[in-house]
Tab-separated table of all heavy atoms in Angstrom:
chain	number	residue	atom	x	y	z
A	1064	ILE	N	152.282	123.577	57.970
A	1064	ILE	CA	153.585	123.101	57.517
A	1064	ILE	C	154.611	123.264	58.631
A	1064	ILE	O	154.720	124.317	59.257
A	1064	ILE	CB	154.054	123.871	56.272
A	1064	ILE	CG1	153.084	123.623	55.112
A	1064	ILE	CG2	155.464	123.455	55.866
A	1064	ILE	CD1	153.397	124.436	53.864
A	1066	CYS	N	158.497	123.463	59.210
A	1066	CYS	CA	159.674	123.754	58.397
A	1066	CYS	C	160.887	122.976	58.894
A	1066	CYS	O	161.096	122.811	60.096
A	1066	CYS	CB	159.972	125.253	58.407
A	1066	CYS	SG	161.367	125.717	57.350
A	1072	CYS	N	165.430	125.233	63.233
A	1072	CYS	CA	164.232	126.009	62.910
A	1072	CYS	C	163.076	125.565	63.811
A	1072	CYS	O	162.806	124.370	63.953
A	1072	CYS	CB	163.842	125.840	61.444
A	1072	CYS	SG	162.407	126.845	60.963
A	1073	GLU	N	162.399	126.537	64.406
A	1073	GLU	CA	161.309	126.236	65.338
A	1073	GLU	C	159.930	126.525	64.752
A	1073	GLU	O	158.932	126.529	65.468
A	1073	GLU	CB	161.498	127.045	66.629
A	1073	GLU	CG	162.790	126.698	67.372
A	1073	GLU	CD	162.960	127.492	68.652
A	1073	GLU	OE1	162.158	128.426	68.877
A	1073	GLU	OE2	163.885	127.175	69.430
A	1074	GLU	N	159.870	126.774	63.435
A	1074	GLU	CA	158.593	127.059	62.790
A	1074	GLU	C	157.873	125.738	62.503
A	1074	GLU	O	158.197	125.027	61.564
A	1074	GLU	CB	158.805	127.841	61.490
A	1074	GLU	CG	159.489	129.181	61.681
A	1074	GLU	CD	158.573	130.195	62.352
A	1074	GLU	OE1	157.419	129.863	62.671
A	1074	GLU	OE2	159.018	131.341	62.547
A	1075	GLU	N	156.892	125.427	63.342
A	1075	GLU	CA	156.235	124.119	63.253
A	1075	GLU	C	154.788	124.177	62.785
A	1075	GLU	O	154.217	123.156	62.423
A	1075	GLU	CB	156.283	123.424	64.621
A	1075	GLU	CG	157.695	123.120	65.100
A	1075	GLU	CD	157.700	122.382	66.423
A	1075	GLU	OE1	156.623	122.340	67.075
A	1075	GLU	OE2	158.758	121.851	66.804
A	1076	LYS	N	154.189	125.360	62.781
A	1076	LYS	CA	152.781	125.465	62.398
A	1076	LYS	C	152.573	126.657	61.466
A	1076	LYS	O	151.830	127.581	61.765
A	1076	LYS	CB	151.889	125.581	63.635
A	1076	LYS	CG	151.855	124.320	64.486
A	1076	LYS	CD	150.879	124.454	65.648
A	1076	LYS	CE	150.820	123.178	66.469
A	1076	LYS	NZ	149.843	123.268	67.584
A	1077	LEU	N	153.259	126.612	60.329
A	1077	LEU	CA	153.145	127.687	59.354
A	1077	LEU	C	151.984	127.434	58.397
A	1077	LEU	O	151.745	126.299	57.992
A	1077	LEU	CB	154.438	127.791	58.534
A	1077	LEU	CG	155.700	128.226	59.277
A	1077	LEU	CD1	156.910	128.070	58.371
A	1077	LEU	CD2	155.579	129.667	59.751
A	1078	THR	N	151.278	128.487	58.043
A	1078	THR	CA	150.326	128.372	56.943
A	1078	THR	C	151.129	128.282	55.653
A	1078	THR	O	152.312	128.653	55.604
A	1078	THR	CB	149.407	129.599	56.881
A	1078	THR	OG1	150.197	130.755	56.554
A	1078	THR	CG2	148.692	129.828	58.198
A	1080	TYR	N	150.986	130.202	53.145
A	1080	TYR	CA	151.408	131.569	52.827
A	1080	TYR	C	152.673	131.933	53.596
A	1080	TYR	O	153.641	132.473	53.038
A	1080	TYR	CB	150.276	132.540	53.159
A	1080	TYR	CG	150.645	133.996	52.984
A	1080	TYR	CD1	150.532	134.613	51.735
A	1080	TYR	CD2	151.106	134.745	54.057
A	1080	TYR	CE1	150.887	135.953	51.572
A	1080	TYR	CE2	151.451	136.084	53.894
A	1080	TYR	CZ	151.341	136.675	52.655
A	1080	TYR	OH	151.693	137.988	52.490
A	1081	ASP	N	152.705	131.633	54.898
A	1081	ASP	CA	153.853	131.979	55.720
A	1081	ASP	C	155.069	131.114	55.410
A	1081	ASP	O	156.206	131.569	55.518
A	1081	ASP	CB	153.495	131.866	57.203
A	1081	ASP	CG	152.660	133.035	57.700
A	1081	ASP	OD1	152.700	134.095	57.048
A	1081	ASP	OD2	151.954	132.885	58.712
A	1082	PHE	N	154.832	129.858	55.031
A	1082	PHE	CA	155.957	128.983	54.662
A	1082	PHE	C	156.641	129.501	53.406
A	1082	PHE	O	157.872	129.517	53.309
A	1082	PHE	CB	155.462	127.554	54.441
A	1082	PHE	CG	156.548	126.594	54.010
A	1082	PHE	CD1	157.544	126.205	54.895
A	1082	PHE	CD2	156.569	126.078	52.724
A	1082	PHE	CE1	158.554	125.325	54.504
A	1082	PHE	CE2	157.562	125.194	52.323
A	1082	PHE	CZ	158.560	124.815	53.215
A	1083	GLU	N	155.848	129.938	52.427
A	1083	GLU	CA	156.412	130.506	51.210
A	1083	GLU	C	157.270	131.717	51.541
A	1083	GLU	O	158.387	131.875	51.043
A	1083	GLU	CB	155.295	130.890	50.244
A	1083	GLU	CG	155.797	131.527	48.956
A	1083	GLU	CD	154.691	132.190	48.166
A	1083	GLU	OE1	153.731	132.690	48.798
A	1083	GLU	OE2	154.795	132.236	46.936
A	1084	LYS	N	156.762	132.592	52.419
A	1084	LYS	CA	157.503	133.790	52.807
A	1084	LYS	C	158.754	133.413	53.597
A	1084	LYS	O	159.829	133.992	53.396
A	1084	LYS	CB	156.593	134.701	53.622
A	1084	LYS	CG	157.208	136.041	53.965
A	1084	LYS	CD	156.157	137.036	54.412
A	1084	LYS	CE	155.362	136.570	55.609
A	1084	LYS	NZ	154.429	137.583	56.104
A	1085	HIS	N	158.631	132.432	54.492
A	1085	HIS	CA	159.752	131.978	55.312
A	1085	HIS	C	160.877	131.414	54.453
A	1085	HIS	O	162.062	131.547	54.793
A	1085	HIS	CB	159.249	130.917	56.295
A	1085	HIS	CG	160.304	130.346	57.194
A	1085	HIS	ND1	160.906	131.071	58.204
A	1085	HIS	CD2	160.871	129.114	57.236
A	1085	HIS	CE1	161.778	130.305	58.837
A	1085	HIS	NE2	161.786	129.119	58.253
A	1126	ASN	N	143.722	130.741	61.537
A	1126	ASN	CA	145.131	130.447	61.736
A	1126	ASN	C	145.994	131.329	60.856
A	1126	ASN	O	147.000	131.873	61.274
A	1126	ASN	CB	145.388	128.964	61.437
A	1126	ASN	CG	146.853	128.590	61.554
A	1126	ASN	OD1	147.615	128.783	60.624
A	1126	ASN	ND2	147.232	128.058	62.703
A	1127	GLU	N	145.604	131.481	59.594
A	1127	GLU	CA	146.387	132.270	58.654
A	1127	GLU	C	146.382	133.738	59.041
A	1127	GLU	O	147.401	134.413	59.011
A	1127	GLU	CB	145.820	132.082	57.246
A	1127	GLU	CG	146.631	132.756	56.171
A	1127	GLU	CD	146.332	132.202	54.804
A	1127	GLU	OE1	146.389	130.987	54.640
A	1127	GLU	OE2	146.043	133.007	53.897
A	1128	LEU	N	145.229	134.232	59.432
A	1128	LEU	CA	145.128	135.632	59.813
A	1128	LEU	C	145.969	135.923	61.047
A	1128	LEU	O	146.699	136.900	61.113
A	1128	LEU	CB	143.662	135.983	60.078
A	1128	LEU	CG	143.344	137.427	60.430
A	1128	LEU	CD1	143.706	138.334	59.267
A	1128	LEU	CD2	141.885	137.572	60.794
A	1129	THR	N	145.882	135.028	62.041
A	1129	THR	CA	146.612	135.229	63.288
A	1129	THR	C	148.115	135.158	63.075
A	1129	THR	O	148.863	136.012	63.526
A	1129	THR	CB	146.198	134.174	64.336
A	1129	THR	OG1	144.799	134.304	64.575
A	1129	THR	CG2	146.961	134.379	65.633
A	1130	SER	N	148.567	134.124	62.352
A	1130	SER	CA	149.999	133.952	62.184
A	1130	SER	C	150.587	135.041	61.320
A	1130	SER	O	151.692	135.518	61.568
A	1130	SER	CB	150.314	132.582	61.570
A	1130	SER	OG	149.740	132.471	60.283
A	1131	THR	N	149.863	135.465	60.296
A	1131	THR	CA	150.381	136.509	59.419
A	1131	THR	C	150.497	137.819	60.169
A	1131	THR	O	151.504	138.514	60.077
A	1131	THR	CB	149.470	136.683	58.195
A	1131	THR	OG1	149.390	135.444	57.496
A	1131	THR	CG2	150.009	137.751	57.252
A	1132	ARG	N	149.481	138.182	60.933
A	1132	ARG	CA	149.528	139.439	61.682
A	1132	ARG	C	150.568	139.387	62.785
A	1132	ARG	O	151.225	140.374	63.075
A	1132	ARG	CB	148.154	139.759	62.249
A	1132	ARG	CG	147.214	140.342	61.199
A	1132	ARG	CD	145.905	140.769	61.787
A	1132	ARG	NE	145.138	141.541	60.825
A	1132	ARG	CZ	143.884	141.881	60.989
A	1132	ARG	NH1	143.246	141.520	62.088
A	1132	ARG	NH2	143.245	142.583	60.082
A	1133	ALA	N	150.704	138.208	63.408
A	1133	ALA	CA	151.682	138.101	64.486
A	1133	ALA	C	153.088	138.326	63.969
A	1133	ALA	O	153.924	138.912	64.639
A	1133	ALA	CB	151.589	136.720	65.155
A	1134	LYS	N	153.364	137.842	62.747
A	1134	LYS	CA	154.695	137.984	62.184
A	1134	LYS	C	154.869	139.318	61.502
A	1134	LYS	O	155.962	139.698	61.148
A	1134	LYS	CB	154.965	136.844	61.197
A	1134	LYS	CG	155.010	135.469	61.865
A	1134	LYS	CD	155.134	134.376	60.828
A	1134	LYS	CE	155.089	133.008	61.490
A	1134	LYS	NZ	156.172	132.793	62.429
A	1135	ARG	N	153.766	140.021	61.242
A	1135	ARG	CA	153.842	141.290	60.538
A	1135	ARG	C	153.142	142.355	61.362
A	1135	ARG	O	152.203	142.994	60.935
A	1135	ARG	CB	153.194	141.125	59.156
A	1135	ARG	CG	153.300	142.337	58.272
A	1135	ARG	CD	154.706	142.776	58.027
A	1135	ARG	NE	155.478	141.750	57.376
A	1135	ARG	CZ	156.789	141.789	57.235
A	1135	ARG	NH1	157.464	142.786	57.735
A	1135	ARG	NH2	157.423	140.797	56.625
A	1136	LEU	N	153.602	142.532	62.602
A	1136	LEU	CA	152.982	143.515	63.474
A	1136	LEU	C	153.384	144.932	63.105
A	1136	LEU	O	152.736	145.877	63.510
A	1136	LEU	CB	153.369	143.224	64.930
A	1136	LEU	CG	152.773	141.954	65.547
A	1136	LEU	CD1	153.344	141.747	66.937
A	1136	LEU	CD2	151.265	142.036	65.601
A	1137	PHE	N	154.469	145.059	62.350
A	1137	PHE	CA	154.995	146.388	62.095
A	1137	PHE	C	155.066	146.693	60.606
A	1137	PHE	O	155.500	145.870	59.807
A	1137	PHE	CB	156.384	146.530	62.711
A	1137	PHE	CG	156.893	147.945	62.667
A	1137	PHE	CD1	156.593	148.822	63.691
A	1137	PHE	CD2	157.632	148.395	61.595
A	1137	PHE	CE1	157.043	150.127	63.651
A	1137	PHE	CE2	158.086	149.701	61.544
A	1137	PHE	CZ	157.793	150.571	62.575
A	1138	HIS	N	154.600	147.881	60.236
A	1138	HIS	CA	154.776	148.425	58.891
A	1138	HIS	C	155.477	149.767	59.026
A	1138	HIS	O	155.050	150.622	59.798
A	1138	HIS	CB	153.423	148.638	58.202
A	1138	HIS	CG	152.701	147.374	57.868
A	1138	HIS	ND1	152.114	146.584	58.824
A	1138	HIS	CD2	152.471	146.769	56.676
A	1138	HIS	CE1	151.543	145.541	58.247
A	1138	HIS	NE2	151.747	145.625	56.941
A	1202	PRO	N	161.799	149.184	63.945
A	1202	PRO	CA	162.191	148.908	65.331
A	1202	PRO	C	163.597	148.331	65.450
A	1202	PRO	O	164.176	148.329	66.526
A	1202	PRO	CB	161.133	147.891	65.789
A	1202	PRO	CG	160.672	147.236	64.531
A	1202	PRO	CD	160.719	148.298	63.478
A	1210	CYS	N	164.064	146.347	55.613
A	1210	CYS	CA	164.485	144.999	56.008
A	1210	CYS	C	163.243	144.139	56.215
A	1210	CYS	O	162.112	144.612	56.098
A	1210	CYS	CB	165.328	145.038	57.284
A	1210	CYS	SG	164.403	145.531	58.761
A	1211	THR	N	163.436	142.877	56.541
A	1211	THR	CA	162.309	141.960	56.722
A	1211	THR	C	161.464	142.301	57.931
A	1211	THR	O	160.339	141.829	58.066
A	1211	THR	CB	162.809	140.507	56.856
A	1211	THR	OG1	163.768	140.430	57.926
A	1211	THR	CG2	163.478	140.048	55.572
A	1212	THR	N	162.015	143.122	58.841
A	1212	THR	CA	161.258	143.532	60.025
A	1212	THR	C	160.224	144.599	59.690
A	1212	THR	O	159.117	144.604	60.228
A	1212	THR	CB	162.211	144.061	61.114
A	1212	THR	OG1	163.128	143.027	61.481
A	1212	THR	CG2	161.440	144.508	62.351
A	1213	CYS	N	160.578	145.509	58.784
A	1213	CYS	CA	159.705	146.667	58.566
A	1213	CYS	C	159.087	146.753	57.172
A	1213	CYS	O	158.211	147.577	56.945
A	1213	CYS	CB	160.464	147.963	58.857
A	1213	CYS	SG	161.844	148.311	57.744
A	1214	VAL	N	159.534	145.930	56.232
A	1214	VAL	CA	158.975	145.972	54.878
A	1214	VAL	C	158.008	144.813	54.689
A	1214	VAL	O	158.387	143.648	54.866
A	1214	VAL	CB	160.084	145.912	53.807
A	1214	VAL	CG1	159.470	145.869	52.415
A	1214	VAL	CG2	160.992	147.119	53.924
A	1215	CYS	N	156.789	145.128	54.362
A	1215	CYS	CA	155.763	144.100	54.168
A	1215	CYS	C	155.423	144.010	52.689
A	1215	CYS	O	155.185	145.013	52.022
A	1215	CYS	CB	154.509	144.445	54.968
A	1215	CYS	SG	153.186	143.226	54.779
A	1216	PHE	N	155.376	142.777	52.163
A	1216	PHE	CA	155.026	142.560	50.772
A	1216	PHE	C	153.564	142.120	50.613
A	1216	PHE	O	153.139	141.713	49.545
A	1216	PHE	CB	155.953	141.506	50.152
A	1216	PHE	CG	157.381	141.959	50.070
A	1216	PHE	CD1	158.311	141.525	51.007
A	1216	PHE	CD2	157.786	142.843	49.093
A	1216	PHE	CE1	159.629	141.947	50.946
A	1216	PHE	CE2	159.106	143.272	49.021
A	1216	PHE	CZ	160.029	142.825	49.953
A	1217	GLY	N	152.823	142.232	51.710
A	1217	GLY	CA	151.404	141.900	51.645
A	1217	GLY	C	150.948	141.081	52.833
A	1217	GLY	O	151.532	140.044	53.143
A	1218	CYS	N	149.924	141.570	53.535
A	1218	CYS	CA	149.340	140.827	54.643
A	1218	CYS	C	147.896	141.287	54.781
A	1218	CYS	O	147.437	142.183	54.075
A	1218	CYS	CB	150.123	141.048	55.949
A	1218	CYS	SG	149.937	142.705	56.654
A	1219	PHE	N	147.162	140.685	55.706
A	1219	PHE	CA	145.746	141.008	55.863
A	1219	PHE	C	145.525	142.371	56.523
A	1219	PHE	O	144.394	142.820	56.651
A	1219	PHE	CB	145.042	139.920	56.672
A	1219	PHE	CG	144.835	138.652	55.895
A	1219	PHE	CD1	145.715	137.598	56.028
A	1219	PHE	CD2	143.780	138.527	55.014
A	1219	PHE	CE1	145.535	136.433	55.312
A	1219	PHE	CE2	143.594	137.376	54.285
A	1219	PHE	CZ	144.469	136.320	54.435
A	1220	LYS	N	146.610	143.002	56.940
A	1220	LYS	CA	146.494	144.338	57.516
A	1220	LYS	C	146.596	145.422	56.454
A	1220	LYS	O	145.975	146.474	56.556
A	1220	LYS	CB	147.583	144.545	58.572
A	1220	LYS	CG	147.440	145.836	59.380
A	1220	LYS	CD	148.477	145.869	60.499
A	1220	LYS	CE	148.323	147.120	61.353
A	1220	LYS	NZ	149.285	147.134	62.476
Side-chain angles (χ1 to χ4, degrees):
I1064 297 175
C1066 183
C1072 183
E1073 298 181 351
E1074 300 288 0
E1075 297 182 347
K1076 292 184 178 182
L1077 294 171
T1078 66
Y1080 175 86
D1081 283 339
F1082 178 70
E1083 178 194 32
K1084 186 164 58 175
H1085 179 70
N1126 177 277
E1127 185 161 308
L1128 183 63
T1129 300
S1130 62
T1131 301
R1132 282 185 169 170
K1134 295 174 184 299
R1135 185 58 61 191
L1136 291 175
F1137 189 88
H1138 292 72
C1210 68
T1211 55
T1212 300
C1213 65
V1214 176
C1215 180
F1216 294 101
C1218 71
F1219 286 97
K1220 188 174 182 178

